[in-house]
Amino acid sequence: MAVGRSGSARTTGASPVPAFAGRKRELAVLLSAARSRPSVVLVEGPAGIGKSRLVAEASAELAADGVRVLTGHCHPLREPLAYGPVIEALRDAADWLPRPGGAPGPAAAPGTTGALGASAGWLAELLPELADRLPLPPHPATGPVPARHQVAQAVRTVLEAVSPAVLVIDDVHWADEATRELLLLLGRDLPGDAALLLAYRAEDVPGRGPLLGAAFRRPPNTSGAELALGPLTEQDVADMARSVLGPTAATPALARALYSRSEGLALVAEEDLLTLRDHPGDVPSGVPRSLRELFAERADRLPPSAAALVDAAAVLEVPAGEGLLADTVGLEPAPAAEALTAALTAGVLRELGPDRYGFTHALARRAHYDNIPGPERTRLHRRALAALWRLPNPPLVQIAHHTRRLGDSEAWLEHALAAADQAVEVGDQGTAAALLHEILEEPRLPSALHARAALSLARIAWDTTEYTRTIATLRRIVAGPGLPAAARGEIRLDLGLMLLNQAADPSGEAEIEQAVDELVNDRPELAARAMSVLAMWETSRFSAAEQRAWIERAQATVADSEDRAARASVTANRITLMASMGIPGTDGELAALPREDRDPEVVRHTARALANAAEVGICLGQDERAARHTEESLALAEHHHAHALIVHCRSYRLLLSWTAGEWSDWEERYAAFRADYLDEPLAVDDLLATVQGITAAARGRSARAVERFGRVLARDPEHKNVNALGAAAGLARVQLARGDAEEAWRTVTDYLPLLPRKEQWVYAWDLVPAAVEIALHRDDPAGAEDLAARHLAGIEGTDAPGARAEALACRGLVLRAQDPVGAAAESDRARLLWSAIGRPYHAALAGEQTARALTGPHDDRAAALLTGSVEVHERLGATRDAARCLRLLRDLGQDRTRPRGRAGYGDRLSPREQQVGRLLADGASNKDIAEALFLSPRTVEQHVARVLRKLDCTRDEVRGRAI
């Protein structure tokens, strides 16, 4: 049963199907979830258990409610069509879409108005039959189909236009990788009045992994359900029997026999009942039978021509048209139509769409296929192969399938590779990847075909989140014999890049380094690309001198190349490397890069260089420039569909908003960002986690801060990464605050050697100031002074405002004991520089440092600075930092006067209780609160008790509340 545009059930033949039985609870749950839109509903169960029937019943009820139900199906033999099941479903939306100019479609809901959003235009290439209803896309596609995130946005726009809507995709275990990823993207960002309903067999999901290729977690505003269907009960089967045979014929003994034979499998019980209805004398014996026996009896009652047509449908495997079925068995049109009608009337075949006929279930098709004698199956496969070749557009996937069934491995490989090439050509990378994996698993694959298939798989591996299987396959290939060096090098380079960029696995560096030697003679441009990647890498594997050598070698390799994109790639990486070392002049080089070019790949490298410069700028304290580079890179990336760059630029926006002091809803904005790109590893993840840790520490959440910092530092403990410098500094400061200066020193000294090795003294992530302060706490002023001097020498002549501010802060720390006035002057210069950079939090910390140097003869000036720092910290919610400054103000006799006692506040929270309440709402423990506010544990207990009493809630209930 399928649901058409009207939403009504569509059946074929005169035979009623058995009553829907035994799934009332599951149906209620499914309907409740599908009506609580937006929602994602997953229905799982083994073959024949009744998933499709449950979905069809729910679809009919939803359609009766006025919900637009769009249904697509996945098939085991799918011809190349990007996102085929989703595209099939959207074809039913034609009458609901608004006409050009905004007029409602013929079947639009009353009151529907408004033009379709421009992003829907991305579907025009995939849905030419709806082209007259779709607007022009925002930009022309650069390939045969738009990028996946654009298709997801287009589908979302269509669903929103036809809402209320439910997108139903059946047999998702057969979906290609690209379709599963599209469904994953849709599930994360459904329109407010749309639902996604997916049915599948868990045991047949590729690799037994997650259905959608990555773990799906419903976003906070999305409801849903996950249903796992089990066997029917004996009572369920009895209810089905009464609906088909009537209460008299459906005796308890017959119901027990049917249940015993079916073992609760809905498909077997249904087919048995249809046989009994049509042939009442055939009383079942009660002995369990296989589906193969059941379908053999059904087919034996067909006329010979109808039986032959059913045999052809079983061999063809996918729903087929009447003409193809007739051609396969050699019937003329008139007898073929008569035979097809007989098969439909007997319920052996079903109409599955316009001129598409097949079995109701894959189990039924398999059972009938197994009943065909071997020689007859072979003959039918040959006839099917010939009939498919005679079609106007021969379906290469099906042709490859039949050649394999015939045992012709050579022909199968030829046709499977041709089908994979066709899939790549039309943008269906999911089908291409599935075919290529199948080819590469062939044990006796000729070396030339092996290299061709492996290269094809490596080249399409970029547009995927389901990379685990591809990485394993490529690793096996490069480790095996028989590949030419250049082919092995290209595959190894793609493997290394996948490991680094998609799996965040540093072992990719070694793969890329090995690829250089394999590529340099025959593929110099690719070798140069590998060299320039190694030149950029941020771990301790290569020193700065080695990185410069790699980029110089890459430049020399492509100097005379006609490959402009290769030259642009190397240039972008060279500018990035120079920028990361704070070398002046890189901004001018960025400005000279092309923003327009006949080769879009050249412009993508410009966008990448700008994005890299933005990230480096954040690390060097070039915030204004970083913001400018971020926006320009984002505009270019969106225009040229560079999805990874779009994601990174949006992460830089987040970082820049944090450095600018926009802390109030930063965590919520970060959570929303991560929900959009849940399973995409980002090189900037370490920086985002670091600022989360810094914020947690500033707010008194030391346990959370340690967890955030620890996550970054544990990522690759062997090869230290410059993006972990801030996490090391943050963890060391927490350890120092807890009185463990020795542990704090061990933490920073793990990362200090990275600075001279990578020439990264310019990175302003607090490592050197933290190390200087820790050295002073360890009574090592000489070590502190030496480190400050080396830092100052390391940034000499560089363009690194943040590092200059840190050098001033280090100098202030070193001078404080002997020259407090000089120390205050240096620290205050740091404060002013941080303010000029646009970082209020850093400026407030520098103001506190200045005040500490001024205490004594300049208490008034110190108090003024501390008061300013307190105001900034309180605005940011940096509770611990504010409390530390207030404590120092009290020591100076400058405490801001506040009324004492609870009587003046009644049931309202006092200022101190508000501080405690905010920490409780943030999940802080009593120990965290005591450390943050410099209070005793007993005092904290009293404050917590009063806060919970006044708010009339428990500790669990206060978490997350705005106080």
Side-chain angles (χ1 to χ4, degrees):
M1 186 158 92
V3 176
R5 289 191 180 92
S6 66
S8 59
R10 183 174 63 220
T11 60
T12 56
S15 306
V17 295
F20 181 68
R23 305 287 188 209
K24 288 185 172 57
R25 185 192 68 82
E26 290 91 341
L27 179 61
V29 171
L30 194 161
L31 287 171
S32 175
R35 287 165 175 158
S36 301
R37 297 179 290 275
S39 58
V40 177
V41 185
L42 305 180
V43 179
E44 180 270 323
I49 204 68
K51 300 183 297 297
S52 297
R53 180 67 187 276
L54 173 65
V55 169
E57 292 289 332
S59 297
E61 289 209 27
L62 290 167
D65 292 345
V67 176
R68 280 73 181 273
V69 181
L70 308 172
T71 304
H73 303 84
C74 305
H75 301 288
L77 289 180
R78 51 183 179 268
E79 291 303 315
L81 172 63
Y83 320 112
V86 177
I87 298 305
E88 175 194 348
L90 293 183
R91 290 192 179 108
D92 277 345
D95 291 344
W96 298 322
L97 290 174
R99 299 181 188 277
T112 300
T113 59
L116 194 59
S119 60
W122 294 119
L123 293 173
E125 290 293 326
L126 300 170
L127 280 166
E129 58 268 57
L130 298 186
D132 63 329
R133 294 294 179 87
L134 299 175
L136 291 174
H139 309 290
T142 56
V145 297
R148 190 160 307 150
H149 70 281
Q150 292 169 333
V151 175
Q153 181 58 43
V155 174
R156 186 188 189 282
T157 299
V158 170
L159 290 177
E160 190 168 31
V162 303
S163 291
V166 176
L167 176 61
V168 178
I169 306 294
D170 201 6
D171 291 326
V172 181
H173 50 275
W174 281 326
D176 62 271
E177 177 184 318
T179 298
R180 291 201 302 275
E181 290 181 12
L182 174 60
L183 294 173
L184 179 65
L185 292 173
L186 286 173
R188 291 175 179 169
D189 187 26
L190 282 168
D193 204 8
L196 181 63
L197 201 171
L198 308 176
Y200 69 104
R201 300 200 302 250
E203 66 273 17
D204 289 331
V205 172
R208 297 292 182 93
L211 174 65
L212 299 180
F216 173 71
R217 292 183 286 277
R218 278 187 292 274
N221 64 336
T222 302
S223 64
E226 297 183 21
L227 298 173
L229 303 189
L232 297 173
T233 66
E234 184 175 333
Q235 183 58 51
D236 298 332
V237 175
D239 292 342
M240 291 173 64
R242 281 193 293 273
S243 73
V244 174
L245 306 176
T248 303
T251 63
L254 178 61
R256 281 194 298 273
L258 290 168
Y259 176 72
S260 175
R261 285 148 57 91
S262 68
E263 297 181 335
L265 198 65
L267 177 66
V268 176
E270 182 175 321
E271 294 295 338
D272 241 346
L273 284 167
L274 293 177
T275 299
L276 285 169
R277 183 206 60 200
D278 295 338
H279 304 279
D282 292 352
V283 179
S285 65
V287 178
R289 298 188 304 172
S290 69
L291 272 174
R292 183 174 174 178
E293 293 168 330
L294 190 154
F295 282 104
E297 289 188 4
R298 299 277 300 279
D300 284 346
R301 296 185 173 95
L302 291 172
S305 60
L309 215 63
V310 171
D311 288 348
V315 167
L316 286 167
E317 193 158 328
V318 296
E322 182 180 339
L324 179 59
L325 290 168
D327 194 10
T328 301
V329 297
L331 284 176
E332 293 297 321
E338 185 178 341
L340 181 57
T341 300
L344 291 170
T345 302
V348 179
L349 295 183
R350 297 283 175 90
E351 184 181 4
L352 302 175
D355 194 32
R356 292 172 68 248
Y357 304 95
F359 293 83
T360 54
H361 198 282
L363 281 179
R365 188 209 65 81
R366 182 69 204 186
H368 194 91
Y369 181 86
D370 290 342
N371 281 332
I372 303 172
E376 178 64 12
R377 281 205 302 266
T378 300
R379 186 185 72 84
L380 283 170
H381 277 296
R382 286 201 180 96
R383 292 189 64 92
L385 190 59
L388 290 169
W389 274 120
R390 286 192 288 270
L391 293 175
N393 296 300
L396 295 180
V397 174
Q398 295 177 52
I399 286 169
H401 166 75
H402 290 291
T403 55
R404 195 171 203 185
R405 288 288 192 182
L406 290 168
D408 190 345
S409 297
E410 186 175 341
W412 169 71
L413 286 170
E414 177 188 346
H415 297 314
L417 276 168
D421 291 343
Q422 182 189 63
V424 171
E425 185 179 339
V426 301
D428 186 359
Q429 295 185 351
T431 296
L435 287 165
L436 292 167
H437 277 296
E438 191 175 359
I439 291 166
L440 289 166
E441 288 165 5
E442 180 67 23
R444 294 177 296 279
L445 188 63
S447 58
L449 294 180
H450 186 268
R452 178 182 162 193
L455 282 169
S456 295
L457 181 62
R459 288 166 182 166
I460 67 170
W462 290 99
D463 193 23
T464 175
T465 58
E466 191 180 328
Y467 49 79
T468 307
R469 183 185 181 192
T470 298
I471 285 175
T473 299
L474 296 183
R475 273 186 157 150
R476 174 172 54 81
I477 289 167
V478 297
L483 281 177
R488 189 186 305 278
E490 182 176 351
I491 295 166
R492 194 186 300 279
L493 173 59
D494 287 329
L495 168 62
L497 292 170
M498 286 188 72
L499 287 166
L500 293 175
N501 295 326
Q502 289 166 272
D505 184 343
S507 68
E509 292 176 347
E511 298 289 354
I512 295 173
E513 189 172 9
Q514 190 172 346
V516 170
D517 295 332
E518 294 168 332
L519 290 167
V520 71
N521 292 326
D522 298 324
R523 301 292 302 280
E525 288 85 3
L526 271 182
R529 181 185 180 200
M531 296 170 198
S532 64
V533 168
L534 295 172
M536 283 182 61
W537 211 246
E538 296 156 330
T539 72
S540 59
R541 183 181 183 90
F542 300 114
S543 69
E546 289 170 321
Q547 288 178 282
R548 280 193 292 270
W550 276 122
I551 202 67
E552 289 166 4
R553 186 179 171 192
Q555 279 186 285
T557 302
V558 297
D560 299 323
S561 172
E562 295 181 1
D563 188 337
R564 297 171 61 256
R567 296 202 309 272
S569 174
V570 172
T571 299
N573 287 358
R574 180 185 61 78
I575 293 173
T576 299
L577 179 61
M578 299 303 107
S580 71
M581 295 176 179
I583 296 174
T586 53
D587 225 33
E589 293 200 52
L590 282 170
L593 292 177
R595 270 62 172 176
E596 295 181 0
D597 195 276
R598 66 177 184 273
D599 183 353
E601 193 64 24
V602 171
V603 183
R604 290 192 191 100
H605 287 305
T606 297
R608 183 169 59 82
L610 288 163
N612 291 341
E615 181 177 331
V616 167
I618 294 168
C619 296
L620 272 59
Q622 303 165 343
D623 291 13
E624 184 179 347
R625 270 181 279 171
R628 190 171 66 250
H629 294 327
T630 295
E631 296 310 313
E632 188 175 8
S633 177
L634 182 59
L636 289 173
E638 288 176 339
H639 185 73
H640 290 279
H641 323 312
H643 178 62
L645 285 180
I646 292 170
V647 179
H648 276 82
C649 287
R650 290 175 179 166
S651 73
Y652 302 150
R653 279 180 171 174
L654 270 177
L655 285 170
L656 286 164
S657 71
W658 182 87
T659 62
E662 298 169 7
W663 287 23
S664 60
D665 61 344
W666 192 90
E667 287 287 349
E668 291 77 8
R669 286 184 285 120
Y670 171 78
F673 166 79
R674 227 42 191 112
D676 286 340
Y677 308 109
L678 196 61
D679 301 291
E680 299 191 41
L682 298 172
V684 78
D685 267 348
D686 288 344
L687 301 183
L688 291 166
T690 295
V691 301
Q692 285 184 300
I694 295 171
T695 307
R699 290 175 170 172
R701 293 286 312 280
S702 57
R704 175 171 168 77
V706 168
E707 183 274 324
R708 295 282 91 182
F709 296 141
R711 191 185 77 170
V712 175
L713 300 179
R715 195 181 302 276
D716 185 21
E718 181 181 353
H719 295 113
K720 302 294 187 281
N721 191 308
V722 296
N723 280 343
L725 297 178
L731 179 61
R733 287 201 178 276
V734 172
Q735 292 164 339
L736 182 64
R738 290 175 172 176
D740 196 344
E742 294 306 314
E743 184 64 25
W745 183 247
R746 283 191 290 272
T747 297
V748 293
T749 52
D750 271 350
Y751 282 83
L752 284 173
L754 198 61
L755 302 181
R757 177 170 174 77
K758 304 289 286 186
E759 297 180 18
Q760 296 290 275
W761 294 104
V762 293
Y763 266 43
W765 280 104
D766 192 39
L767 186 69
V768 177
V772 167
E773 189 166 342
I774 294 164
L776 292 171
H777 273 79
R778 296 176 69 245
D779 294 324
D780 183 13
E785 187 170 0
D786 176 67
L787 180 55
R790 286 193 292 136
H791 177 244
L792 185 61
I795 67 171
E796 185 178 356
T798 63
D799 182 6
R804 291 204 309 276
E806 289 193 341
L808 292 167
C810 291
R811 186 68 180 155
L813 289 168
V814 168
L815 289 175
R816 186 188 299 172
Q818 303 299 324
D819 181 9
V821 174
E826 297 292 288
S827 300
D828 202 44
R829 289 172 63 196
R831 178 182 67 84
L832 294 172
L833 184 49
W834 281 124
S835 295
I837 291 170
R839 299 196 182 186
Y841 179 63
H842 293 71
L845 292 176
E848 179 189 351
Q849 182 181 323
T850 306
R852 289 183 181 278
L854 290 171
T855 53
H858 304 284
D859 282 357
D860 289 344
R861 170 67 175 148
L865 286 165
L866 287 169
T867 300
S869 292
V870 168
E871 290 172 355
V872 172
H873 290 320
E874 289 184 339
R875 177 173 61 80
L876 298 177
T879 311
R880 176 178 172 79
D881 294 323
R884 188 179 59 247
C885 292
L886 286 169
R887 182 182 177 188
L888 184 53
L889 275 171
R890 286 195 296 272
D891 292 343
L892 296 174
Q894 300 286 331
D895 190 12
R896 295 184 297 181
T897 304
R898 289 173 174 163
R900 289 190 164 277
R902 282 168 283 167
Y905 294 99
D907 290 333
R908 293 180 295 113
L909 298 179
S910 71
R912 175 67 82 189
E913 289 165 353
Q914 288 179 17
Q915 291 178 322
V916 172
R918 291 189 188 104
L919 287 166
L920 285 171
D922 204 27
S925 65
N926 281 13
K927 182 180 179 182
D928 285 336
I929 297 170
E931 290 180 358
L933 301 180
F934 302 94
L935 300 173
S936 70
R938 177 61 180 162
T939 301
V940 170
E941 289 176 9
Q942 294 170 350
H943 281 308
V944 168
R946 286 197 293 270
V947 168
L948 297 180
R949 177 181 58 78
K950 290 184 178 182
L951 295 177
D952 191 24
C953 65
T954 66
R955 192 168 196 134
D956 287 338
E957 291 168 344
V958 79
R959 186 188 291 265
R961 283 181 62 168
I963 295 176

mmCIF file of all heavy atoms in Angstrom, residues 194-219:
data_model
loop_
_atom_site.group_PDB
_atom_site.id
_atom_site.type_symbol
_atom_site.label_atom_id
_atom_site.label_comp_id
_atom_site.label_asym_id
_atom_site.label_seq_id
_atom_site.Cartn_x
_atom_site.Cartn_y
_atom_site.Cartn_z
ATOM 1 N N ALA A 194 6.787 19.863 10.016
ATOM 2 C CA ALA A 194 7.125 18.716 9.172
ATOM 3 C C ALA A 194 7.681 17.594 10.040
ATOM 4 O O ALA A 194 8.235 17.825 11.118
ATOM 5 C CB ALA A 194 8.132 19.098 8.100
ATOM 6 N N ALA A 195 7.512 16.370 9.545
ATOM 7 C CA ALA A 195 8.029 15.190 10.238
ATOM 8 C C ALA A 195 8.787 14.325 9.235
ATOM 9 O O ALA A 195 8.517 14.349 8.036
ATOM 10 C CB ALA A 195 6.904 14.389 10.888
ATOM 11 N N LEU A 196 9.721 13.560 9.759
ATOM 12 C CA LEU A 196 10.501 12.615 8.958
ATOM 13 C C LEU A 196 10.261 11.236 9.535
ATOM 14 O O LEU A 196 10.461 11.003 10.733
ATOM 15 C CB LEU A 196 11.989 12.980 9.034
ATOM 16 C CG LEU A 196 12.966 12.115 8.236
ATOM 17 C CD1 LEU A 196 12.686 12.216 6.742
ATOM 18 C CD2 LEU A 196 14.406 12.539 8.531
ATOM 19 N N LEU A 197 9.795 10.299 8.685
ATOM 20 C CA LEU A 197 9.453 8.948 9.135
ATOM 21 C C LEU A 197 10.288 7.958 8.319
ATOM 22 O O LEU A 197 10.149 7.886 7.091
ATOM 23 C CB LEU A 197 7.952 8.694 8.930
ATOM 24 C CG LEU A 197 7.281 7.589 9.747
ATOM 25 C CD1 LEU A 197 5.766 7.646 9.577
ATOM 26 C CD2 LEU A 197 7.759 6.210 9.348
ATOM 27 N N LEU A 198 11.126 7.186 8.991
ATOM 28 C CA LEU A 198 12.047 6.276 8.322
ATOM 29 C C LEU A 198 11.817 4.854 8.830
ATOM 30 O O LEU A 198 11.767 4.616 10.040
ATOM 31 C CB LEU A 198 13.501 6.679 8.597
ATOM 32 C CG LEU A 198 13.863 8.138 8.321
ATOM 33 C CD1 LEU A 198 15.308 8.404 8.729
ATOM 34 C CD2 LEU A 198 13.639 8.481 6.859
ATOM 35 N N ALA A 199 11.686 3.907 7.887
ATOM 36 C CA ALA A 199 11.531 2.494 8.241
ATOM 37 C C ALA A 199 12.736 1.730 7.704
ATOM 38 O O ALA A 199 13.188 1.978 6.584
ATOM 39 C CB ALA A 199 10.237 1.932 7.654
ATOM 40 N N TYR A 200 13.220 0.757 8.502
ATOM 41 C CA TYR A 200 14.449 0.068 8.091
ATOM 42 C C TYR A 200 14.630 -1.247 8.841
ATOM 43 O O TYR A 200 13.953 -1.510 9.839
ATOM 44 C CB TYR A 200 15.659 0.957 8.347
ATOM 45 C CG TYR A 200 15.971 1.171 9.818
ATOM 46 C CD1 TYR A 200 17.035 0.511 10.433
ATOM 47 C CD2 TYR A 200 15.228 2.055 10.597
ATOM 48 C CE1 TYR A 200 17.320 0.704 11.775
ATOM 49 C CE2 TYR A 200 15.515 2.265 11.929
ATOM 50 C CZ TYR A 200 16.566 1.584 12.522
ATOM 51 O OH TYR A 200 16.859 1.781 13.844
ATOM 52 N N ARG A 201 15.546 -2.059 8.326
ATOM 53 C CA ARG A 201 15.950 -3.299 8.984
ATOM 54 C C ARG A 201 17.342 -3.087 9.560
ATOM 55 O O ARG A 201 18.304 -2.873 8.812
ATOM 56 C CB ARG A 201 15.973 -4.459 7.987
ATOM 57 C CG ARG A 201 14.648 -4.729 7.333
ATOM 58 C CD ARG A 201 14.553 -6.133 6.741
ATOM 59 N NE ARG A 201 15.551 -6.463 5.762
ATOM 60 C CZ ARG A 201 15.312 -6.627 4.456
ATOM 61 N NH1 ARG A 201 14.079 -6.450 3.984
ATOM 62 N NH2 ARG A 201 16.266 -6.958 3.630
ATOM 63 N N ALA A 202 17.479 -3.149 10.860
ATOM 64 C CA ALA A 202 18.764 -2.863 11.499
ATOM 65 C C ALA A 202 19.842 -3.834 11.047
ATOM 66 O O ALA A 202 21.011 -3.458 10.875
ATOM 67 C CB ALA A 202 18.614 -2.911 13.022
ATOM 68 N N GLU A 203 19.469 -5.093 10.825
ATOM 69 C CA GLU A 203 20.479 -6.087 10.469
ATOM 70 C C GLU A 203 21.062 -5.882 9.079
ATOM 71 O O GLU A 203 22.110 -6.434 8.744
ATOM 72 C CB GLU A 203 19.896 -7.504 10.562
ATOM 73 C CG GLU A 203 18.804 -7.838 9.561
ATOM 74 C CD GLU A 203 17.399 -7.458 10.017
ATOM 75 O OE1 GLU A 203 17.306 -6.647 10.961
ATOM 76 O OE2 GLU A 203 16.433 -7.983 9.450
ATOM 77 N N ASP A 204 20.382 -5.063 8.252
ATOM 78 C CA ASP A 204 20.850 -4.840 6.887
ATOM 79 C C ASP A 204 21.444 -3.446 6.677
ATOM 80 O O ASP A 204 21.778 -3.081 5.543
ATOM 81 C CB ASP A 204 19.706 -5.064 5.891
ATOM 82 C CG ASP A 204 19.344 -6.529 5.771
ATOM 83 O OD1 ASP A 204 20.241 -7.363 5.979
ATOM 84 O OD2 ASP A 204 18.177 -6.833 5.482
ATOM 85 N N VAL A 205 21.562 -2.665 7.740
ATOM 86 C CA VAL A 205 22.227 -1.364 7.614
ATOM 87 C C VAL A 205 23.707 -1.617 7.352
ATOM 88 O O VAL A 205 24.325 -2.446 8.025
ATOM 89 C CB VAL A 205 22.040 -0.528 8.902
ATOM 90 C CG1 VAL A 205 22.885 0.745 8.845
ATOM 91 C CG2 VAL A 205 20.579 -0.194 9.094
ATOM 92 N N PRO A 206 24.314 -0.960 6.360
ATOM 93 C CA PRO A 206 25.717 -1.217 6.033
ATOM 94 C C PRO A 206 26.623 -1.123 7.254
ATOM 95 O O PRO A 206 26.594 -0.146 8.001
ATOM 96 C CB PRO A 206 26.050 -0.105 5.025
ATOM 97 C CG PRO A 206 24.739 0.227 4.390
ATOM 98 C CD PRO A 206 23.714 0.063 5.477
ATOM 99 N N GLY A 207 27.410 -2.177 7.448
ATOM 100 C CA GLY A 207 28.346 -2.187 8.559
ATOM 101 C C GLY A 207 27.698 -2.323 9.917
ATOM 102 O O GLY A 207 28.379 -2.209 10.936
ATOM 103 N N ARG A 208 26.373 -2.561 9.942
ATOM 104 C CA ARG A 208 25.615 -2.620 11.199
ATOM 105 C C ARG A 208 25.815 -1.348 12.033
ATOM 106 O O ARG A 208 25.694 -1.361 13.252
ATOM 107 C CB ARG A 208 26.040 -3.837 12.032
ATOM 108 C CG ARG A 208 25.778 -5.193 11.391
ATOM 109 C CD ARG A 208 24.282 -5.451 11.296
ATOM 110 N NE ARG A 208 23.990 -6.743 10.729
ATOM 111 C CZ ARG A 208 23.784 -7.862 11.448
ATOM 112 N NH1 ARG A 208 23.857 -7.803 12.760
ATOM 113 N NH2 ARG A 208 23.494 -8.996 10.848
ATOM 114 N N GLY A 209 26.133 -0.251 11.347
ATOM 115 C CA GLY A 209 26.361 1.006 12.054
ATOM 116 C C GLY A 209 25.084 1.808 12.188
ATOM 117 O O GLY A 209 23.973 1.300 11.960
ATOM 118 N N PRO A 210 25.199 3.092 12.551
ATOM 119 C CA PRO A 210 24.010 3.938 12.674
ATOM 120 C C PRO A 210 23.270 4.047 11.348
ATOM 121 O O PRO A 210 23.883 4.055 10.280
ATOM 122 C CB PRO A 210 24.584 5.298 13.100
ATOM 123 C CG PRO A 210 25.937 4.998 13.646
ATOM 124 C CD PRO A 210 26.430 3.814 12.890
ATOM 125 N N LEU A 211 21.955 4.132 11.408
ATOM 126 C CA LEU A 211 21.128 4.148 10.198
ATOM 127 C C LEU A 211 21.539 5.269 9.254
ATOM 128 O O LEU A 211 21.619 5.062 8.044
ATOM 129 C CB LEU A 211 19.652 4.313 10.586
ATOM 130 C CG LEU A 211 18.677 4.485 9.416
ATOM 131 C CD1 LEU A 211 18.643 3.225 8.557
ATOM 132 C CD2 LEU A 211 17.290 4.832 9.912
ATOM 133 N N LEU A 212 21.788 6.451 9.781
ATOM 134 C CA LEU A 212 22.039 7.609 8.931
ATOM 135 C C LEU A 212 23.525 7.897 8.753
ATOM 136 O O LEU A 212 23.914 8.997 8.369
ATOM 137 C CB LEU A 212 21.323 8.838 9.502
ATOM 138 C CG LEU A 212 19.807 8.692 9.592
ATOM 139 C CD1 LEU A 212 19.177 9.946 10.156
ATOM 140 C CD2 LEU A 212 19.202 8.363 8.236
ATOM 141 N N GLY A 213 24.364 6.889 9.013
ATOM 142 C CA GLY A 213 25.784 7.066 8.772
ATOM 143 C C GLY A 213 26.510 7.771 9.892
ATOM 144 O O GLY A 213 27.723 7.805 9.932
ATOM 145 N N ALA A 214 25.791 8.351 10.813
ATOM 146 C CA ALA A 214 26.358 9.016 11.982
ATOM 147 C C ALA A 214 25.293 8.987 13.063
ATOM 148 O O ALA A 214 24.104 8.870 12.769
ATOM 149 C CB ALA A 214 26.756 10.454 11.667
ATOM 150 N N ALA A 215 25.732 9.034 14.316
ATOM 151 C CA ALA A 215 24.764 8.970 15.408
ATOM 152 C C ALA A 215 23.804 10.156 15.320
ATOM 153 O O ALA A 215 24.229 11.302 15.283
ATOM 154 C CB ALA A 215 25.502 8.986 16.741
ATOM 155 N N PHE A 216 22.506 9.865 15.272
ATOM 156 C CA PHE A 216 21.510 10.938 15.187
ATOM 157 C C PHE A 216 20.943 11.207 16.565
ATOM 158 O O PHE A 216 20.466 10.296 17.241
ATOM 159 C CB PHE A 216 20.378 10.542 14.235
ATOM 160 C CG PHE A 216 19.244 11.539 14.241
ATOM 161 C CD1 PHE A 216 19.414 12.784 13.668
ATOM 162 C CD2 PHE A 216 18.038 11.249 14.850
ATOM 163 C CE1 PHE A 216 18.390 13.725 13.679
ATOM 164 C CE2 PHE A 216 17.008 12.172 14.873
ATOM 165 C CZ PHE A 216 17.191 13.414 14.279
ATOM 166 N N ARG A 217 21.030 12.452 16.950
ATOM 167 C CA ARG A 217 20.389 12.894 18.195
ATOM 168 C C ARG A 217 19.443 14.015 17.840
ATOM 169 O O ARG A 217 19.846 15.007 17.220
ATOM 170 C CB ARG A 217 21.448 13.362 19.203
ATOM 171 C CG ARG A 217 22.308 12.246 19.726
ATOM 172 C CD ARG A 217 23.293 12.755 20.770
ATOM 173 N NE ARG A 217 24.370 13.511 20.178
ATOM 174 C CZ ARG A 217 25.455 12.972 19.653
ATOM 175 N NH1 ARG A 217 25.594 11.655 19.632
ATOM 176 N NH2 ARG A 217 26.414 13.731 19.148
ATOM 177 N N ARG A 218 18.191 13.838 18.239
ATOM 178 C CA ARG A 218 17.201 14.855 17.885
ATOM 179 C C ARG A 218 17.574 16.192 18.517
ATOM 180 O O ARG A 218 17.931 16.253 19.689
ATOM 181 C CB ARG A 218 15.815 14.416 18.357
ATOM 182 C CG ARG A 218 15.117 13.446 17.421
ATOM 183 C CD ARG A 218 13.694 13.194 17.869
ATOM 184 N NE ARG A 218 13.665 12.467 19.120
ATOM 185 C CZ ARG A 218 13.717 11.144 19.214
ATOM 186 N NH1 ARG A 218 13.796 10.422 18.117
ATOM 187 N NH2 ARG A 218 13.682 10.547 20.372
ATOM 188 N N PRO A 219 17.480 17.282 17.742
ATOM 189 C CA PRO A 219 17.724 18.604 18.319
ATOM 190 C C PRO A 219 16.737 18.892 19.438
ATOM 191 O O PRO A 219 15.668 18.259 19.522
ATOM 192 C CB PRO A 219 17.508 19.550 17.124
ATOM 193 C CG PRO A 219 17.689 18.700 15.915
ATOM 194 C CD PRO A 219 17.203 17.327 16.300
#
